[in-house]
Amino acid sequence: MEVINGDITKLDVDIIVNAANNTLLGGGGVDGAIHRASGPKLLEECKTLHGCETGESKMTNAYNLPCNKIIHTVGPIYHYENDAASLLKSCYKTSYLLAEQYRKENKLDNITIAYPCISTGVYGYPKDEACMIAVNTIKELDNNHINVIFVCFDEESYTLYKKELEK
Ligand code: AR6
């Protein structure tokens, strides 16, 4: 596991994760950035998926992005969900398991997946709690074949992840 500060759309990795909404039809924040950079074919493919439940994940092609695949996951709206922590944990888990399935199907020894700080923007999840859930969930799942990069977009998140990963 490592943490970097930067724009997830620029990463040349196997898979990037998108913090999407239930429609999977685009939005603001990282979702908007991914759709803009990937191009209109992404929206066309997303329309065929018929949305996604909160905590679940679905994979698409990446089109004009440098990565190979995008996993769209839907984080909880912090003040709306009763069990936001379980749902956020489920986002990391379901996307990781989809990535592992992709790795096996393509007979790859190792892959790299990059995660944004899911739910910590528009969806209002406290950054410190979300960071702990992200790191602990990946630790529990760790299988030595998947490299995980946490991509932060602000200094506060970056510092939180640095500290959590040093533990
Ligand atoms: N690269 C990496 N991280 C980014 C980027 C980027 N290019 N742009 C923003 N972030 P948010 P949410 C960070 O709001 O809270 C959308 O409208 C951002 O600083 O994108 O899960 C969807 O359609 C923050 O740390 O996602 C949904 O409706 C993190 O990404 C809703 O927002 C997540 O912020 C989802 O809200």
Side-chain angles (χ1 to χ4, degrees):
M1 281 190 268
E2 61 175 305
V3 56
I4 62 168
N5 218 343
D7 181 350
I8 203 167
T9 66
K10 308 278 191 232
L11 298 185
D12 182 6
V13 293
D14 298 282
I15 298 169
I16 67 168
V17 175
N18 181 19
N21 58 55
N22 295 123
T23 70
L24 295 185
L25 300 180
V30 70
D31 192 11
I34 286 172
H35 273 267
R36 272 194 304 279
S38 176
K41 284 185 178 166
L42 176 59
L43 181 59
E44 287 310 307
E45 184 175 356
C46 283
K47 281 179 184 167
T48 69
L49 300 176
H50 307 294
C52 185
E53 298 288 327
T54 305
E56 296 297 318
S57 304
K58 292 186 177 180
M59 184 183 275
T60 66
N61 293 312
Y63 302 101
N64 296 333
L65 290 177
C67 60
N68 291 334
K69 293 282 177 186
I70 304 167
I71 292 178
H72 307 264
T73 193
V74 183
I77 300 172
Y78 186 68
H79 292 291
Y80 175 75
E81 300 289 352
N82 285 328
D83 199 0
S86 303
L87 290 167
L88 186 59
K89 192 177 176 70
S90 174
C91 286
Y92 285 94
K93 187 171 177 179
T94 55
S95 45
Y96 191 95
L97 295 178
L98 257 188
E100 176 61 2
Q101 191 183 328
Y102 167 85
R103 185 187 74 77
K104 284 185 175 157
E105 279 171 9
N106 290 280
K107 299 184 171 53
L108 301 168
D109 271 348
N110 274 284
I111 58 167
T112 297
I113 182 170
Y115 281 95
C117 306
I118 301 163
S119 280
T120 65
V122 177
Y123 281 1
Y125 213 110
K127 289 178 176 157
D128 51 349
E129 289 173 35
C131 168
M132 279 173 55
I133 290 171
V135 172
N136 290 333
T137 305
I138 298 299
K139 259 187 205 160
E140 284 167 24
L141 292 163
D142 191 17
N143 74 1
N144 287 324
H145 294 283
I146 302 185
N147 308 312
V148 172
I149 305 177
F150 295 110
V151 185
C152 297
F153 210 54
D154 60 275
E155 275 301 324
E156 187 189 348
S157 299
Y158 181 76
T159 307
L160 285 166
Y161 273 86
K162 270 270 169 209
K163 280 192 187 148
E164 197 61 36
L165 288 174
E166 278 163 12
K167 278 185 189 167

Short mmCIF file of all heavy atoms in Angstrom, two decimals, residues 56-94:
data_model
loop_
_atom_site.label_atom_id
_atom_site.label_comp_id
_atom_site.label_asym_id
_atom_site.label_seq_id
_atom_site.Cartn_x
_atom_site.Cartn_y
_atom_site.Cartn_z
N GLU A 56 -21.68 -1.32 -3.52
CA GLU A 56 -21.35 -2.29 -4.58
C GLU A 56 -20.45 -1.65 -5.63
O GLU A 56 -20.25 -0.42 -5.62
CB GLU A 56 -22.64 -2.81 -5.25
CG GLU A 56 -23.55 -3.58 -4.31
CD GLU A 56 -22.89 -4.84 -3.77
OE1 GLU A 56 -22.22 -5.55 -4.54
OE2 GLU A 56 -23.03 -5.12 -2.58
N SER A 57 -19.92 -2.48 -6.55
CA SER A 57 -18.96 -2.00 -7.54
C SER A 57 -19.19 -2.66 -8.89
O SER A 57 -19.57 -3.83 -8.93
CB SER A 57 -17.53 -2.34 -7.09
OG SER A 57 -17.25 -1.80 -5.82
N LYS A 58 -18.94 -1.91 -9.97
CA LYS A 58 -19.05 -2.45 -11.33
C LYS A 58 -17.88 -1.95 -12.17
O LYS A 58 -17.45 -0.81 -12.01
CB LYS A 58 -20.38 -2.03 -11.96
CG LYS A 58 -21.59 -2.66 -11.30
CD LYS A 58 -22.89 -2.35 -12.03
CE LYS A 58 -24.07 -3.07 -11.35
NZ LYS A 58 -25.36 -2.81 -12.03
N MET A 59 -17.41 -2.81 -13.08
CA MET A 59 -16.23 -2.47 -13.87
C MET A 59 -16.58 -2.07 -15.31
O MET A 59 -17.51 -2.63 -15.89
CB MET A 59 -15.30 -3.69 -13.91
CG MET A 59 -13.99 -3.43 -14.62
SD MET A 59 -12.98 -4.93 -14.70
CE MET A 59 -12.17 -4.83 -13.13
N THR A 60 -15.84 -1.10 -15.84
CA THR A 60 -15.98 -0.74 -17.26
C THR A 60 -14.59 -0.60 -17.88
O THR A 60 -13.57 -0.60 -17.18
CB THR A 60 -16.68 0.63 -17.47
OG1 THR A 60 -15.83 1.66 -16.93
CG2 THR A 60 -18.04 0.68 -16.81
N ASN A 61 -14.61 -0.41 -19.21
CA ASN A 61 -13.37 -0.04 -19.90
C ASN A 61 -12.99 1.38 -19.52
O ASN A 61 -13.80 2.13 -18.95
CB ASN A 61 -13.60 -0.12 -21.42
CG ASN A 61 -13.82 -1.54 -21.84
OD1 ASN A 61 -13.07 -2.44 -21.44
ND2 ASN A 61 -14.86 -1.78 -22.63
N ALA A 62 -11.76 1.76 -19.88
CA ALA A 62 -11.26 3.08 -19.46
C ALA A 62 -11.17 4.08 -20.63
O ALA A 62 -10.91 5.26 -20.41
CB ALA A 62 -9.90 2.93 -18.79
N TYR A 63 -11.36 3.58 -21.86
CA TYR A 63 -11.36 4.44 -23.06
C TYR A 63 -10.13 5.35 -23.12
O TYR A 63 -9.03 4.84 -23.15
CB TYR A 63 -12.71 5.17 -23.17
CG TYR A 63 -13.83 4.17 -23.24
CD1 TYR A 63 -14.60 3.88 -22.10
CD2 TYR A 63 -14.05 3.42 -24.38
CE1 TYR A 63 -15.59 2.91 -22.13
CE2 TYR A 63 -15.04 2.43 -24.42
CZ TYR A 63 -15.79 2.19 -23.30
OH TYR A 63 -16.74 1.21 -23.33
N ASN A 64 -10.29 6.67 -23.07
CA ASN A 64 -9.14 7.57 -23.29
C ASN A 64 -8.22 7.73 -22.08
O ASN A 64 -7.26 8.49 -22.14
CB ASN A 64 -9.63 8.96 -23.72
CG ASN A 64 -10.33 8.90 -25.06
OD1 ASN A 64 -10.03 8.03 -25.88
ND2 ASN A 64 -11.25 9.81 -25.29
N LEU A 65 -8.50 7.04 -21.00
CA LEU A 65 -7.62 7.14 -19.82
C LEU A 65 -6.40 6.24 -20.00
O LEU A 65 -6.47 5.23 -20.70
CB LEU A 65 -8.38 6.70 -18.56
CG LEU A 65 -9.49 7.61 -18.07
CD1 LEU A 65 -10.18 6.99 -16.86
CD2 LEU A 65 -8.93 8.97 -17.68
N PRO A 66 -5.30 6.56 -19.33
CA PRO A 66 -4.11 5.71 -19.43
C PRO A 66 -4.22 4.37 -18.72
O PRO A 66 -3.47 3.44 -19.03
CB PRO A 66 -3.00 6.56 -18.80
CG PRO A 66 -3.67 7.66 -18.07
CD PRO A 66 -5.06 7.82 -18.61
N CYS A 67 -5.15 4.22 -17.79
CA CYS A 67 -5.32 2.94 -17.10
C CYS A 67 -6.09 1.95 -18.00
O CYS A 67 -6.56 2.33 -19.07
CB CYS A 67 -6.07 3.16 -15.79
SG CYS A 67 -7.71 3.88 -16.02
N ASN A 68 -6.19 0.70 -17.56
CA ASN A 68 -6.87 -0.32 -18.38
C ASN A 68 -8.36 -0.44 -18.10
O ASN A 68 -9.15 -0.71 -19.01
CB ASN A 68 -6.23 -1.69 -18.16
CG ASN A 68 -4.84 -1.75 -18.74
OD1 ASN A 68 -4.53 -1.01 -19.67
ND2 ASN A 68 -4.00 -2.59 -18.17
N LYS A 69 -8.73 -0.33 -16.83
CA LYS A 69 -10.14 -0.52 -16.45
C LYS A 69 -10.51 0.49 -15.37
O LYS A 69 -9.65 0.99 -14.63
CB LYS A 69 -10.35 -1.93 -15.87
CG LYS A 69 -10.18 -3.05 -16.88
CD LYS A 69 -11.39 -3.18 -17.78
CE LYS A 69 -11.16 -4.27 -18.82
NZ LYS A 69 -12.26 -4.33 -19.79
N ILE A 70 -11.81 0.73 -15.26
CA ILE A 70 -12.33 1.58 -14.18
C ILE A 70 -13.31 0.73 -13.37
O ILE A 70 -14.17 0.06 -13.95
CB ILE A 70 -13.11 2.80 -14.72
CG1 ILE A 70 -12.26 3.63 -15.68
CG2 ILE A 70 -13.63 3.67 -13.58
CD1 ILE A 70 -13.06 4.66 -16.49
N ILE A 71 -13.16 0.76 -12.05
CA ILE A 71 -14.18 0.16 -11.20
C ILE A 71 -14.97 1.28 -10.55
O ILE A 71 -14.40 2.12 -9.83
CB ILE A 71 -13.56 -0.78 -10.15
CG1 ILE A 71 -12.95 -2.02 -10.83
CG2 ILE A 71 -14.62 -1.21 -9.13
CD1 ILE A 71 -12.26 -2.99 -9.89
N HIS A 72 -16.26 1.31 -10.83
CA HIS A 72 -17.14 2.34 -10.28
C HIS A 72 -17.75 1.79 -9.00
O HIS A 72 -18.37 0.72 -9.02
CB HIS A 72 -18.25 2.67 -11.28
CG HIS A 72 -17.71 3.03 -12.63
ND1 HIS A 72 -17.51 4.34 -13.01
CD2 HIS A 72 -17.29 2.25 -13.66
CE1 HIS A 72 -17.01 4.33 -14.25
NE2 HIS A 72 -16.86 3.09 -14.66
N THR A 73 -17.57 2.51 -7.92
CA THR A 73 -18.17 2.08 -6.66
C THR A 73 -18.98 3.24 -6.11
O THR A 73 -18.71 4.40 -6.43
CB THR A 73 -17.08 1.61 -5.67
OG1 THR A 73 -17.69 0.92 -4.57
CG2 THR A 73 -16.25 2.76 -5.12
N VAL A 74 -20.00 2.92 -5.32
CA VAL A 74 -20.88 3.98 -4.81
C VAL A 74 -20.74 4.06 -3.30
O VAL A 74 -21.17 3.15 -2.56
CB VAL A 74 -22.35 3.71 -5.20
CG1 VAL A 74 -23.23 4.86 -4.72
CG2 VAL A 74 -22.47 3.51 -6.70
N GLY A 75 -20.14 5.12 -2.84
CA GLY A 75 -19.94 5.33 -1.41
C GLY A 75 -21.21 5.83 -0.74
O GLY A 75 -22.13 6.30 -1.41
N PRO A 76 -21.27 5.70 0.59
CA PRO A 76 -22.43 6.19 1.33
C PRO A 76 -22.41 7.72 1.47
O PRO A 76 -21.35 8.32 1.59
CB PRO A 76 -22.26 5.53 2.71
CG PRO A 76 -20.77 5.38 2.85
CD PRO A 76 -20.25 5.10 1.48
N ILE A 77 -23.61 8.30 1.50
CA ILE A 77 -23.73 9.72 1.88
C ILE A 77 -23.71 9.72 3.41
O ILE A 77 -24.58 9.09 4.05
CB ILE A 77 -25.05 10.32 1.35
CG1 ILE A 77 -25.07 10.22 -0.18
CG2 ILE A 77 -25.22 11.77 1.81
CD1 ILE A 77 -26.40 10.61 -0.82
N TYR A 78 -22.73 10.36 4.00
CA TYR A 78 -22.45 10.18 5.43
C TYR A 78 -23.65 10.46 6.33
O TYR A 78 -23.95 9.68 7.23
CB TYR A 78 -21.27 11.06 5.84
CG TYR A 78 -20.82 10.83 7.26
CD1 TYR A 78 -20.23 9.62 7.63
CD2 TYR A 78 -21.01 11.80 8.23
CE1 TYR A 78 -19.82 9.39 8.93
CE2 TYR A 78 -20.60 11.58 9.53
CZ TYR A 78 -20.01 10.38 9.88
OH TYR A 78 -19.60 10.16 11.16
N HIS A 79 -24.35 11.56 6.10
CA HIS A 79 -25.45 11.93 7.00
C HIS A 79 -26.78 11.29 6.63
O HIS A 79 -27.78 11.53 7.27
CB HIS A 79 -25.60 13.46 7.04
CG HIS A 79 -24.44 14.11 7.72
ND1 HIS A 79 -24.20 13.97 9.07
CD2 HIS A 79 -23.42 14.84 7.23
CE1 HIS A 79 -23.10 14.61 9.39
NE2 HIS A 79 -22.60 15.15 8.29
N TYR A 80 -26.77 10.44 5.64
CA TYR A 80 -28.01 9.85 5.14
C TYR A 80 -28.11 8.37 5.50
O TYR A 80 -29.20 7.87 5.81
CB TYR A 80 -28.06 10.05 3.62
CG TYR A 80 -29.20 9.40 2.91
CD1 TYR A 80 -30.48 9.95 2.99
CD2 TYR A 80 -29.01 8.25 2.14
CE1 TYR A 80 -31.53 9.36 2.32
CE2 TYR A 80 -30.05 7.66 1.47
CZ TYR A 80 -31.32 8.21 1.56
OH TYR A 80 -32.35 7.62 0.90
N GLU A 81 -26.99 7.69 5.52
CA GLU A 81 -27.00 6.23 5.75
C GLU A 81 -26.89 5.91 7.24
O GLU A 81 -26.13 6.56 7.95
CB GLU A 81 -25.83 5.56 5.02
CG GLU A 81 -25.84 5.76 3.52
CD GLU A 81 -26.94 4.98 2.82
OE1 GLU A 81 -27.62 4.17 3.48
OE2 GLU A 81 -27.12 5.19 1.61
N ASN A 82 -27.62 4.88 7.69
CA ASN A 82 -27.53 4.44 9.08
C ASN A 82 -26.20 3.77 9.39
O ASN A 82 -25.65 3.94 10.46
CB ASN A 82 -28.65 3.44 9.41
CG ASN A 82 -29.98 4.15 9.53
OD1 ASN A 82 -30.02 5.30 9.96
ND2 ASN A 82 -31.03 3.47 9.12
N ASP A 83 -25.73 2.98 8.45
CA ASP A 83 -24.49 2.25 8.68
C ASP A 83 -23.46 2.61 7.62
O ASP A 83 -23.03 1.77 6.83
CB ASP A 83 -24.77 0.75 8.70
CG ASP A 83 -23.64 0.00 9.38
OD1 ASP A 83 -22.67 0.66 9.82
OD2 ASP A 83 -23.71 -1.23 9.46
N ALA A 84 -23.08 3.89 7.65
CA ALA A 84 -22.17 4.40 6.63
C ALA A 84 -20.83 3.66 6.65
O ALA A 84 -20.26 3.38 5.60
CB ALA A 84 -21.96 5.90 6.82
N ALA A 85 -20.35 3.30 7.84
CA ALA A 85 -19.04 2.64 7.94
C ALA A 85 -19.02 1.31 7.20
O ALA A 85 -18.09 1.01 6.46
CB ALA A 85 -18.65 2.45 9.40
N SER A 86 -20.08 0.50 7.39
CA SER A 86 -20.13 -0.80 6.70
C SER A 86 -20.21 -0.61 5.19
O SER A 86 -19.62 -1.39 4.43
CB SER A 86 -21.35 -1.60 7.12
OG SER A 86 -21.33 -1.79 8.48
N LEU A 87 -20.95 0.39 4.77
CA LEU A 87 -21.10 0.63 3.33
C LEU A 87 -19.78 1.11 2.72
O LEU A 87 -19.42 0.71 1.62
CB LEU A 87 -22.22 1.63 3.06
CG LEU A 87 -23.63 1.10 3.36
CD1 LEU A 87 -24.64 2.24 3.38
CD2 LEU A 87 -24.03 0.05 2.33
N LEU A 88 -19.06 1.96 3.46
CA LEU A 88 -17.78 2.43 2.93
C LEU A 88 -16.79 1.27 2.85
O LEU A 88 -16.07 1.10 1.86
CB LEU A 88 -17.23 3.56 3.80
CG LEU A 88 -15.95 4.21 3.25
CD1 LEU A 88 -16.19 4.81 1.86
CD2 LEU A 88 -15.45 5.29 4.20
N LYS A 89 -16.79 0.45 3.90
CA LYS A 89 -15.93 -0.73 3.91
C LYS A 89 -16.27 -1.63 2.71
O LYS A 89 -15.38 -2.15 2.03
CB LYS A 89 -16.18 -1.50 5.21
CG LYS A 89 -15.19 -2.59 5.51
CD LYS A 89 -15.52 -3.20 6.87
CE LYS A 89 -14.61 -4.37 7.16
NZ LYS A 89 -13.23 -4.03 7.41
N SER A 90 -17.54 -1.79 2.45
CA SER A 90 -18.00 -2.61 1.34
C SER A 90 -17.51 -2.07 -0.02
O SER A 90 -17.20 -2.85 -0.92
CB SER A 90 -19.52 -2.70 1.38
OG SER A 90 -20.00 -3.37 0.26
N CYS A 91 -17.43 -0.76 -0.15
CA CYS A 91 -16.90 -0.16 -1.40
C CYS A 91 -15.48 -0.64 -1.67
O CYS A 91 -15.14 -1.04 -2.79
CB CYS A 91 -16.85 1.36 -1.30
SG CYS A 91 -18.44 2.13 -1.40
N TYR A 92 -14.64 -0.57 -0.62
CA TYR A 92 -13.25 -1.01 -0.79
C TYR A 92 -13.18 -2.50 -1.06
O TYR A 92 -12.40 -2.97 -1.88
CB TYR A 92 -12.42 -0.60 0.44
CG TYR A 92 -12.12 0.88 0.44
CD1 TYR A 92 -12.94 1.78 1.11
CD2 TYR A 92 -11.06 1.39 -0.30
CE1 TYR A 92 -12.70 3.15 1.06
CE2 TYR A 92 -10.80 2.76 -0.36
CZ TYR A 92 -11.63 3.62 0.33
OH TYR A 92 -11.39 4.97 0.26
N LYS A 93 -14.03 -3.24 -0.36
CA LYS A 93 -13.99 -4.70 -0.50
C LYS A 93 -14.51 -5.16 -1.86
O LYS A 93 -13.86 -5.96 -2.55
CB LYS A 93 -14.82 -5.34 0.63
CG LYS A 93 -14.70 -6.83 0.66
CD LYS A 93 -15.34 -7.41 1.91
CE LYS A 93 -15.24 -8.93 1.86
NZ LYS A 93 -15.82 -9.56 3.02
N THR A 94 -15.68 -4.68 -2.28
CA THR A 94 -16.25 -5.16 -3.55
C THR A 94 -15.38 -4.75 -4.73
O THR A 94 -15.23 -5.51 -5.69
CB THR A 94 -17.71 -4.67 -3.74
OG1 THR A 94 -17.75 -3.25 -3.65
CG2 THR A 94 -18.65 -5.27 -2.71
#
